[in-house]
Amino acid sequence: MEALRRDDPRRFGRFTVLARFQEAASAVQYVARDTATGEVAVITAARPALAAVPAFRRRFQAEARTAERLAGGWVAPLVDSAAASASSSASSSASDDAADKAGAGSAADGPELLWTATEYVPALPLAEAIGVAGPLPERALRILGAGIAEILSRVHAGGAVLQGLAPGTVLLAEDGPRLTAFGPLGAAAAAEAKPGGQLSVRLGYLTPEQVEGKEVGAPSDLFVLGLLLAYAATGTTPFTEGPAEEAARRIAEADPELDAVPEELRELIAGCLAKDPAERPTAGTVAAELALEGAAGLARGGWLPERIAAAVADQEARVRALEVPEEAAATTPEDARPAEEPEDARPEDARPVDAMDAVAVAPPGAPAEAPVTQTPADPRVPAATTGPPVTAEAYGTTAPTATDGDGSGSGSGDIGEDRGTTRFLNTGPKPPQSDHATTQLALPQEPQQPHEPPPAQPAPAGLPVPGHHHTYGSPAPYPAALLPGSAGQGAGQNGNPSAAPGSGPIGGPPGTNGPQGGGPMVALPLPPAPTPPDGSATSRRALITIAAAAVGGLVVGGGAVAAIGGGESVAATDDKPAPKPRRTLPGRPPEPRWTYSHPASESSPLTTALWRDRLLVVTSESQASAVDLRTGKRVWQRADAAKGQAALAAGDLCFVASPTEFLWLAPKDGTVVHRVRYADGFTGLPNLQVGRLAGQSGPLIWFAGSHTVTVKAPKPKKGKKQAPDRQVVQAHFFAYDIVRRAEVWRTPVPAGRAPGTPVARVVAERSADLLVRQDAVTLTPAEVKAAKGKGIIRSFDRTTGKLQWAKQYGTAAPDAAVTGDEDGVLYAAVGTDLQSFEADTAKPLWRVAGTAGSVFGTPVVAGPFVHTSERSQQVGAVERETGRLVWRRSTEVPGIGNAPSLALSSSGKTLFASDATQVTAFAAADGERLWKFQDIGVADPKGATVSASYRTFTVGGSAVVQRDRSFYAFPVA
């Protein structure tokens, strides 16, 4: 944190700037105060030179939208932005409009500034924290990794890739970690506006798939998470040993050095760093293994080492004590934008660098009279020199200083302390390493001769050029690397192609190859580009994609379409492009058609059901709500249907069973059209209590109910006392027509455990009868004893309700999973096996052995198959006729829990297995794992961990996945 500079804005919308907070390659962060509320916020303002590039503006805004979608948990919510401020100011008067726009950081003679405002959370970047207290202890590592994995899980659930992890973008706060970057721009190690409206963005990391020129995916984020955890555990990257130019080979081929990682975490981190993306764990698995109770739960009671906690408290005290600078109090709209730096303050032909954060460096081997250049304190940023930069690109590696304390030029490698700013760490001496220029990959705007530099176009006058990545001097995150044996064009500091080997300096004077030697950078292969639209010129509509060269170079702009990160396409033109569908990658869920979040102000959902293919009906303690299945928008709420169950089609109405009555609602607005109260709606059964619905077929529903009757005591014998009357619970099993709103039949059944209403479930429907089992929890002790530990299935005549028989099947327990089919075959879990029985005779037909120590869950019968699940997280299919195992696959959820619940898509082609950790989609025919969905999260860092299991509902071509308050509608086959 440091005082404001002359060219810093003094206001952003309603926020008054107090101080500089920290810097990144693409933006500067400021501490600011809301003039309306007095609350402190952090403003992230894009560098004006970059904001002038259309591709940068679009990407900046896209990453801001991602942050807004992820708000909550370990992501600080956005409280304002340039776009929102401009929109607000547009509705005010003309005079106020001019002032507000200027306050938002725009001016007629300069580019409009891009900025976002988030709540201030006292926290240290991971790099600073390691510098303050060294490697983190195991518990802190678990909380850090689980928190970031929870964010990644939410990102990956939407089919996106984050690409925002770095030691400077992950913060350590008092209650848990925070993430501050949501895409390549936020995590960039360097960003530079190029001639012709292009943008060069260099990522600070490299993954094995990027080395091989493959597309990044969700596993790429897990690899970087593994690097971060290894860094947090050891203070260095696991791939540092060896020459810098061989870093790419080490990342792609070498085993990580994890000896210093705590033994309990070594296997998990090694899994994240697997070379094959398919072998890396999912974000949900990582989160569960690190903190089964969730990061927030594990962090309760404090989690930061004492020195880091003290540094966080010190930072908060300094920030809270900041006052509005006197100059800001007198700021007018005209000086709200950055002022142009005076000419005498900027070295000729050099980027502006902060003199307080830089020290003089002469290239090694340069003659004494050679001009001295400036090296930024952040090692990832090129020095202000006409040749390629000399930087270091590894965890724990910083650029060397040219002079020691006595000016002898020994170069200790220490980071010079910034006496003019507030600093929170000094990382100490580190060995220098060379940084080789990153290849810039782009198709030219106009045809050019090979190796000919593009025509130079001056940057807009008076706009600052991007500076270094951090003011706090954090180490660069991952090794820069020269691909061995490569040859091709590289981009120098000024955007010009680098010369052939031996003709230009790489950390050395002209005419040398630099101290490290090696050749120029090479571009990895680009995937095939889509065909340009008709009528467009290829030279003006060139198609570009991310590729990894050295540290993941990227060029966008120049009228091109750039596919960045998680498949989001942004166009570098002045017109906003129409959205295009994103290709689904294997293992990643498709893009949700919509998402719906049940309001936090309302109680959590109790039941969920689908009404036809139109409504998702969600009930809670206070009301029932209906969500349009086409749009994901809530269309009505109805308090009468609170705590309701089911949502069945009753002609054109929506039938809901509440705790006290049957309701028929208008699907358009939820208006109650009819109601039948249990207390007085069933002849001869006053004060009837109705349990959970047992089943439904067409207009018929089945359920059990009970009521209490008074049985008068017999007249006592002479001389004896009158016995009191007895209260007796009587129970019945009902069939009810919800279209005619009439009872079809009732039949007496044994009353259940107190309060007496049995809970039943129809396990099979046949043409002549229903097979029904009472839930074990409502069996009376006498019934349990009489059954001798076995479950009982009862047959009721479908027309009259008459009880026909009651049977037991093998040694199937009262609570064993069981289902049946229309042919009269039951499938039940018996011990660790799944066994089929002939319903009428209880004759065993076949048996399928389960996993040792596991138990089968409720199977699903469809076509020729019986789909199965087990507590060992195995999902499979067996033939109905023979019991032959067709396929068996694991959901890859670690450990043993409840067996996943199963659901089939309407077409029968996709099988969904839902458990407490994730939803896994399989091809029903052969068991191919199609994708996984996870949305691990916490409603609030200080709130309860979300522990509800996933549920999947299928209708038409959609699968609606629910986890507590969150709903996602996925397209499915």
Side-chain angles (χ1 to χ4, degrees):
M1 189 164 59
E2 62 175 290
L4 295 175
R5 302 173 187 172
R6 176 177 176 180
D7 58 351
D8 285 328
R10 269 34 180 188
R11 286 184 63 84
F12 291 92
R14 67 178 192 266
F15 299 95
T16 300
V17 180
L18 305 178
R20 273 182 167 241
F21 197 42
Q22 60 188 38
E23 294 189 51
S26 62
V28 178
Q29 288 189 332
Y30 300 94
V31 179
R33 180 167 286 126
D34 189 327
T35 55
T37 65
E39 295 295 323
V40 178
V42 174
I43 305 292
T44 301
R47 297 184 181 277
L50 299 177
V53 181
F56 179 92
R57 290 201 300 270
R58 289 191 190 17
R59 187 64 201 180
F60 184 93
Q61 292 163 348
E63 293 185 14
R65 290 192 296 271
T66 299
E68 191 170 15
R69 287 194 298 269
L70 294 175
W74 309 119
V75 177
L78 266 64
V79 295
D80 202 357
S81 66
S85 181
S87 174
S88 174
S89 64
S91 62
S92 60
S93 64
S95 59
D96 291 339
D97 181 73
D100 289 345
K101 282 186 177 181
S106 64
D109 58 347
E112 180 181 353
L113 288 187
L114 298 174
W115 57 271
T116 59
T118 58
E119 293 179 0
Y120 166 67
V121 177
L124 286 189
L126 175 61
E128 283 197 27
I130 298 301
V132 167
L136 300 180
E138 181 189 339
R139 178 169 173 269
L141 287 171
R142 288 183 175 275
I143 295 167
L144 170 65
I148 300 304
E150 288 171 6
I151 299 174
L152 291 179
S153 184
R154 295 167 61 196
V155 173
H156 297 167
V161 184
L162 183 69
Q163 291 187 282
L165 298 182
T169 66
V170 174
L171 307 183
L172 308 187
E174 180 183 12
D175 56 357
R178 295 292 192 280
L179 184 63
T180 62
F182 305 94
L185 290 187
E192 185 177 4
K194 290 292 187 179
Q198 292 186 330
L199 172 68
S200 168
V201 176
R202 188 178 64 183
L203 301 180
Y205 56 83
L206 197 64
T207 63
E209 50 269 35
Q210 287 176 303
V211 173
E212 297 174 1
K214 297 179 181 178
E215 185 175 355
V216 297
S220 303
D221 283 336
L222 271 298
F223 186 89
V224 182
L225 176 59
L227 287 173
L228 276 176
L229 290 177
Y231 169 62
T234 65
T236 185
T237 176
F239 296 106
T240 53
E241 295 299 326
E245 62 268 21
E246 295 181 7
R249 180 194 59 78
R250 293 198 301 273
I251 289 173
E253 302 174 7
D255 293 332
E257 295 292 336
L258 300 176
D259 292 344
V261 173
E263 184 177 356
E264 294 79 4
L265 303 180
R266 201 173 298 157
E267 182 178 354
L268 178 63
I269 294 177
C272 292
L273 297 175
K275 306 304 180 188
D276 184 355
E279 295 180 0
R280 296 171 200 156
T282 63
T285 298
V286 172
E289 289 198 17
L290 289 175
L292 191 59
E293 67 272 53
L298 188 57
R300 287 195 179 97
W303 71 291
L304 294 178
E306 184 177 350
R307 295 180 63 184
I308 298 177
V312 170
D314 177 69
Q315 181 203 88
E316 181 177 18
R318 292 171 182 268
V319 169
R320 301 294 184 194
L322 288 173
E323 297 182 358
V324 178
E326 293 182 5
E327 55 184 306
T331 297
T332 62
E334 287 72 25
D335 53 24
R337 66 183 182 90
E340 182 177 353
E341 186 176 347
E343 290 299 323
D344 59 355
R346 181 181 304 162
E348 187 177 0
D349 298 328
R351 298 184 185 183
V353 295
D354 184 4
M356 304 301 291
D357 291 323
V359 291
V361 172
E369 64 273 19
V372 175
T373 59
Q374 297 291 318
T375 299
D378 190 314
R380 279 170 285 186
V381 180
T385 176
T386 57
V390 182
T391 64
E393 291 282 352
Y395 274 144
T397 303
T398 57
T401 59
T403 61
D404 56 19
D406 58 6
S408 62
S410 60
S412 66
D414 194 8
I415 295 178
E417 191 71 28
D418 183 352
R419 302 302 179 186
T421 62
T422 302
R423 302 261 323 260
F424 295 107
L425 90 154
N426 183 349
T427 56
K430 303 293 178 181
Q433 292 186 7
S434 294
D435 173 33
H436 302 278
T438 301
T439 300
Q440 311 300 330
L441 304 176
L443 297 178
Q445 283 186 291
E446 302 296 343
Q448 298 175 4
Q449 295 298 323
H451 307 290
E452 181 180 340
Q457 296 185 14
L463 296 180
V465 183
H468 56 80
H469 191 71
H470 297 294
T471 60
Y472 46 79
S474 66
Y478 313 110
L482 186 68
L483 300 183
S486 63
Q489 281 183 294
Q493 177 183 342
N494 298 321
N496 299 321
S498 60
S503 62
I506 305 289
T512 72
N513 236 5
Q516 299 291 346
M521 302 309 300
V522 63
L524 297 179
L526 290 171
T531 304
D534 294 337
S536 64
T538 303
S539 61
R540 301 298 300 169
R541 301 287 295 176
L543 299 173
I544 308 166
T545 186
I546 263 188
V551 283
L554 158 69
V555 175
V556 296
V561 176
I564 303 179
E568 178 182 346
S569 293
V570 293
T573 60
D574 292 332
D575 299 323
K576 186 175 182 180
K580 297 182 180 180
R582 177 185 53 78
R583 180 173 64 89
T584 301
L585 299 179
R588 292 169 55 182
E591 191 73 25
R593 286 177 170 153
W594 51 259
T595 62
Y596 166 73
S597 294
H598 196 65
S601 59
E602 301 176 13
S603 55
S604 295
L606 296 175
T607 64
T608 304
L610 301 178
W611 184 78
R612 293 183 171 173
D613 60 352
R614 290 176 53 189
L615 296 178
L616 173 75
V617 180
V618 181
T619 67
S620 66
E621 292 282 351
S622 57
Q623 64 184 12
S625 305
V627 177
D628 191 323
L629 281 172
R630 296 165 298 177
T631 64
K633 304 294 184 183
R634 186 154 73 167
V635 292
W636 53 259
Q637 300 119 274
R638 175 61 56 181
D640 304 66
K643 303 180 184 179
Q645 56 175 313
L648 307 175
D652 294 331
L653 301 178
C654 176
F655 170 85
V656 175
S658 82
T660 58
E661 59 188 343
F662 289 151
L663 298 170
W664 286 260
L665 310 178
K668 182 179 180 180
D669 55 13
T671 302
V672 177
V673 179
H674 306 289
R675 67 174 80 225
V676 172
R677 294 182 175 87
Y678 308 146
D680 53 17
F682 291 83
T683 305
L685 300 176
N687 300 315
L688 180 69
Q689 301 292 317
V690 173
R692 188 182 67 213
L693 298 187
Q696 177 259 343
S697 179
L700 292 180
I701 60 172
W702 299 285
F703 59 92
S706 67
H707 77 299
T708 302
V709 297
T710 301
V711 177
K712 291 189 175 295
K715 187 175 180 180
K717 294 181 179 180
K718 187 175 181 180
K720 299 292 183 179
K721 285 187 177 181
Q722 174 73 40
D725 296 340
R726 291 186 302 118
Q727 300 294 311
V728 178
V729 176
Q730 296 180 346
H732 296 80
F733 190 61
F734 296 82
Y736 191 92
D737 190 315
I738 60 175
V739 173
R740 295 190 297 113
R741 303 192 299 283
E743 180 182 335
V744 178
W745 50 255
R746 74 177 73 159
T747 190
V749 294
R753 186 187 297 267
T757 303
V759 176
R761 184 172 73 88
V762 175
V763 298
E765 300 175 39
R766 300 194 291 184
S767 58
D769 65 350
L770 303 173
L771 303 184
V772 180
R773 189 183 71 170
Q774 184 175 338
D775 280 9
V777 293
T778 64
L779 293 173
T780 64
E783 289 174 314
V784 173
K785 183 178 180 180
K788 298 181 179 180
K790 300 178 182 179
I792 297 177
I793 303 291
R794 294 181 171 89
S795 169
F796 294 92
D797 185 278
R798 190 158 183 162
T799 303
T800 65
K802 180 181 178 181
L803 176 64
Q804 301 190 113
W805 48 256
K807 296 183 183 298
Q808 294 178 320
Y809 296 86
T811 58
D815 58 350
V818 61
T819 194
D821 61 24
E822 68 281 0
D823 297 329
V825 177
L826 291 179
Y827 310 93
V830 180
T832 61
D833 301 335
L834 181 70
Q835 194 167 355
S836 72
F837 299 89
E838 191 176 82
D840 291 322
T841 65
K843 175 185 176 181
L845 300 176
W846 51 254
R847 178 190 296 265
V848 174
T851 307
S854 184
V855 176
F856 278 90
T858 303
V860 171
V861 181
F865 300 132
V866 177
H867 295 287
T868 65
S869 66
E870 302 177 56
R871 290 186 59 197
S872 60
Q873 309 308 307
Q874 298 288 322
V875 176
V878 299
E879 290 183 347
R880 287 171 64 177
E881 292 291 332
T882 66
R884 183 182 70 87
L885 182 64
V886 179
W887 60 264
R888 180 180 282 169
R889 302 280 187 274
S890 172
T891 63
E892 298 181 334
V893 172
I896 291 183
N898 293 328
S901 60
L902 302 179
L904 270 172
S905 64
S906 299
S907 67
K909 295 180 179 179
T910 307
L911 178 69
F912 301 95
S914 307
D915 53 47
T917 301
Q918 65 188 31
V919 174
T920 309
F922 297 90
D926 58 11
E928 177 189 0
R929 274 190 296 267
L930 303 177
W931 48 263
K932 300 177 182 180
F933 171 81
Q934 296 172 319
D935 182 25
I936 294 177
V938 179
D940 185 274
K942 298 181 180 178
T945 301
V946 176
S947 58
S949 293
Y950 292 86
R951 302 178 64 196
T952 303
F953 309 87
T954 60
V955 58
S958 296
V960 178
V961 173
Q962 175 192 6
R963 192 173 196 227
D964 195 32
R965 298 176 180 272
S966 299
F967 297 81
Y968 303 81
F970 294 103
V972 296

